[in-house]
Amino acid sequence: MAQNILVLSSITHAYKAQKLLEQAWIKSSVIRTPEGLSGKGCSYSLAVRGDLDRAAELLRENGIRILKTVAGS
């Protein structure tokens, strides 16, 4: 099963984002960014279960920069 992924710039942002999503009842997990999704060497992502667009909007509203959004199929 493909995952919905939000690529973030650091592990600090990933954990902060996860906490924000948790408060909005959106389940997510912090993961290392899958190979090929990040132009940088090391980044972290959130695997999001549920509404990816809503999750991304919530994070942007709270000042968390999303480097890339990947919708699972």
Side-chain angles (χ1 to χ4, degrees):
M1 174 188 247
Q3 295 181 11
N4 292 321
I5 296 175
L6 297 173
V7 180
L8 307 171
S9 61
S10 71
I11 194 165
T12 303
H13 286 118
Y15 280 115
K16 182 178 178 184
Q18 183 183 34
K19 187 167 188 98
L20 284 167
L21 294 181
E22 183 180 292
Q23 292 170 352
W25 298 94
I26 299 172
K27 293 186 181 234
S28 64
S29 301
V30 175
I31 61 171
R32 293 282 308 260
T33 300
E35 209 171 303
L37 290 184
S38 175
K40 298 176 1 177
C42 178
S43 71
Y44 285 82
S45 298
L46 284 181
V48 178
R49 294 179 284 287
D51 188 343
L52 182 63
D53 292 331
R54 181 172 168 242
E57 180 180 341
L58 180 65
L59 296 183
R60 287 185 184 109
E61 287 173 357
N62 284 278
I64 295 180
R65 186 171 161 242
I66 299 168
L67 301 178
K68 185 180 277 191
T69 303
V70 181
S73 50

